[in-house]
Amino acid sequence: MSDTPFGFGLPPEEPENGDEGKKKDPAGGGQGSGGQPGNPFGANPFGFGGLPGMGGLGGQGGADNPFAAMFGSLNPNDLGAAFQQLGQMLSYEGGPVNWDMAKQIARQVVAQGTADGTKDASVGPAEKSAVEEAVRLADLWLDQVTSLPSGANTAVAWSRAEWVEATLPAWQQLVDPVAERVGAAMGDVLPEEMQAMAGPLIGMMRSMGGAMFGQQIGQAVGALAGEVVGSTDVGLPLGPANRAALLPLNIEAFGKDLGVPSDEVRLYLALREAAHQRLFAHVPWLRAHLFGAVEGYARGITVDTSKLEEAVGQLDPTQPEQLQEALQQGMFQPEDTPQQKAALARLETALALVEGWVDAVVHEAAKSRLTSADALRETLRRRRASGGPAEQTFATLIGLELRPRRLRDAARLWASLTDARGVDGRDGLWEHPDMLPTATDLDDPDGFVHREHLDFSELDKMLGEAAKGDAPEDGDGDGKE
């Protein structure tokens, strides 16, 4: 589990070779700190370093300024637009995250293209048709291996930009509780006299905090848009309900060096997307369970008050650069709490069960039909094990890392359940969260599979007979004396 959701308190990393191996300027100098995975702010979370008139607050401009994508090169011709956008940031009065900025940054990251030089492009009619056909065929195959009916009314092919637009509402639901609690935890420990003295500064902090969160989320979502292949890559329903979505451009990049025919790659990924859609459409409590675990994590967020109070007591409200220095020292780093750990354990287990069920069901549907089924399955597992985009983004945004071991254990458990109880017996466990395997069961899947489970139909029969036995009896059976 990541200890630094939203990138708080992370020290700058050192490059591995050459002259670049020198330590970066702790105030945000050096090269590449703005693009560090999981922490796009480097050691300068507010990114004041490159803004005109703020030279004393950090490093140089360019790549070290996290707002550089928005402000451009900051040459004299750009200064008017730069200050206008800075004014918009400072005047922001919305929720804990500036989602307008998040969307803007994400779209800009998408427009820049991925590291291999691939640029986003509109989806053509042929690609849309291929996706629709793949999802249709995937649903036919899944009908034979699961009792859950199709969960996708429509199949769509998205560009990267369309994925950003379609998934931002779900990201907002996931991230807002965490960002709100982090902001509240900061404000809770400010002494009243400090709040009175620093009224305008506090307002600026909230605006800049919303911009900071918006910037980081925009960077993360924009980067993720360059790698995801559908709407459920993170194991959560990020897109609109009942809509299976694939990204043809990313599917092409995913299968480029696999030596597998492109139509097989597309079909295998369509199977995974359609399987996720079935689960989220027909297990009505699942979405609320997963998102509720994130909110439970947010409620457990605390701040090291002693460290914060000590730092705040030394701040001069007239010198905001002191606040910048305090931020760089990580004084707002959230602490782990029992509530957080419990919520993250619930979320991790639930995600592992979702991904494990999809893995097992898709493998059953594909193994006799696709010659590359085993290879594609292992490729996706390794992608997850090597810290793929879903895990990195989750770790950045909510402090969660999905352990690959849990996914493999869950897949083995679901496969064993199929052998022992059949498709209906396996899928019937999704009827209620209390019926699902626990984290302990993932450690001993065989024990769970072969454990005796109470037959609820027999229990209902027993309760019914007991109720009849309690009724008063008389000669004619009508209960009257």
Side-chain angles (χ1 to χ4, degrees):
M1 182 184 69
S2 171
D3 292 330
T4 54
F6 295 104
F8 282 118
L10 289 179
E13 293 184 0
E14 298 181 22
E16 295 179 355
N17 55 7
D19 294 336
E20 301 268 78
K22 298 178 182 178
K23 288 188 177 181
K24 298 172 185 175
D25 182 355
Q31 295 181 1
S33 63
Q36 179 181 325
N39 182 24
F41 295 100
N44 189 354
F46 283 158
F48 289 139
L51 298 181
M54 295 183 178
L57 296 183
Q60 304 300 315
D64 286 331
N65 177 10
F67 298 117
M70 184 168 53
F71 290 150
S73 61
L74 290 177
N75 60 48
N77 294 329
D78 295 330
L79 292 183
F83 280 115
Q84 181 180 7
Q85 294 196 33
L86 180 59
Q88 292 174 353
M89 287 192 301
L90 293 177
S91 62
Y92 172 73
E93 296 179 352
V97 177
N98 188 331
W99 285 102
D100 289 338
M101 174 176 289
K103 178 179 176 180
Q104 180 183 3
I105 295 297
R107 292 294 298 264
Q108 290 174 348
V109 171
V110 165
Q112 291 169 2
T114 50
D116 62 0
T118 303
K119 298 287 187 180
D120 193 23
S122 299
V123 179
E127 292 172 318
K128 291 180 180 178
S129 178
V131 165
E132 291 171 356
E133 177 61 22
V135 172
R136 185 194 65 80
L137 184 56
D139 263 334
L140 288 177
W141 291 2
L142 290 172
D143 283 339
Q144 302 174 37
V145 295
T146 175
S147 61
L148 299 180
S150 175
N153 297 333
T154 58
V156 294
W158 284 340
S159 67
R160 294 166 178 171
E162 288 172 325
W163 182 90
V164 168
E165 295 279 354
T167 62
L168 272 181
W171 288 118
Q172 184 170 356
Q173 186 177 352
L174 279 168
V175 174
D176 268 351
V178 181
E180 185 174 2
R181 182 61 195 132
V182 169
M186 294 176 186
D188 290 345
V189 297
L190 290 176
E192 292 184 5
E193 59 273 17
M194 181 66 182
Q195 295 184 27
M197 293 173 57
L201 179 59
I202 297 301
M204 185 188 76
M205 286 175 59
R206 289 196 184 100
S207 297
M208 292 301 295
M212 179 184 71
F213 288 130
Q215 164 72 13
Q216 185 165 0
I217 293 163
Q219 290 277 4
V221 171
L224 189 57
E227 299 193 40
V228 294
V229 295
S231 71
T232 54
D233 277 27
V234 299
L236 290 171
L238 295 180
N242 307 118
R243 184 176 299 176
L246 295 176
L247 283 72
L249 183 61
N250 291 354
I251 291 175
E252 181 182 354
F254 171 80
K256 183 177 180 181
D257 299 319
L258 297 181
V260 176
S262 59
D263 58 341
E264 287 199 18
V265 175
R266 184 190 307 111
L267 183 51
Y268 192 87
L269 296 176
L271 281 166
R272 290 183 53 83
E273 176 74 9
H276 277 104
Q277 293 295 334
R278 288 181 182 231
L279 202 55
F280 288 116
H282 300 291
V283 183
W285 55 266
L286 185 56
R287 178 187 174 94
H289 180 75
L290 293 170
F291 282 66
V294 177
E295 293 182 7
Y297 166 82
R299 288 193 296 271
I301 290 177
T302 62
V303 172
D304 184 348
T305 57
S306 60
K307 186 176 181 181
L308 181 57
E309 288 173 354
E310 179 182 355
V312 168
Q314 300 173 2
L315 289 180
D316 181 350
T318 65
Q319 298 184 30
E321 65 270 15
Q322 291 185 2
L323 174 63
Q324 173 71 7
E325 294 172 1
L327 282 167
Q328 291 172 228
Q329 295 168 6
M331 75 174 186
F332 291 153
Q333 179 174 330
E335 297 178 311
D336 283 338
T337 65
Q339 295 91 336
Q340 279 179 297
K341 291 178 179 178
L344 285 177
R346 288 193 300 272
L347 181 57
E348 181 184 67
T349 300
L351 285 173
L353 290 173
V354 168
E355 289 296 284
W357 183 88
V358 168
D359 181 273
V361 167
V362 167
H363 181 68
E364 185 66 23
K367 65 181 182 181
S368 63
R369 297 180 173 95
L370 296 179
T371 57
S372 56
D374 289 336
L376 289 170
R377 183 190 202 189
E378 189 58 30
T379 297
L380 286 164
R381 284 182 166 185
R382 289 181 179 179
R383 187 182 189 222
R384 202 57 95 116
S386 63
E391 286 74 32
Q392 292 173 3
T393 299
F394 246 11
T396 299
L397 298 183
I398 64 175
L400 170 73
E401 292 177 355
L402 179 61
R403 289 179 292 174
R405 182 178 65 85
R406 301 284 80 183
L407 187 155
R408 290 179 181 267
D409 289 344
R412 187 168 69 252
L413 185 149
W414 289 118
S416 297
L417 281 169
T418 307
D419 294 337
R421 305 184 190 179
V423 168
D424 291 341
R426 177 201 65 199
D427 294 347
L429 293 177
W430 289 105
E431 291 180 2
H432 192 278
D434 291 344
M435 297 174 65
L436 288 177
T438 64
T440 302
D441 294 324
L442 291 181
D443 293 328
D444 181 22
D446 292 335
F448 178 84
V449 170
H450 298 294
R451 186 182 308 152
E452 289 296 330
H453 287 265
L454 185 63
D455 187 331
F456 287 95
S457 63
E458 289 296 323
L459 177 60
D460 290 340
K461 182 179 179 181
M462 292 167 56
L463 291 175
E465 292 176 351
K468 291 179 181 179
D470 291 339
E473 297 183 1
D474 63 350
D476 59 9
D478 61 2
K480 296 180 180 179
E481 297 291 342

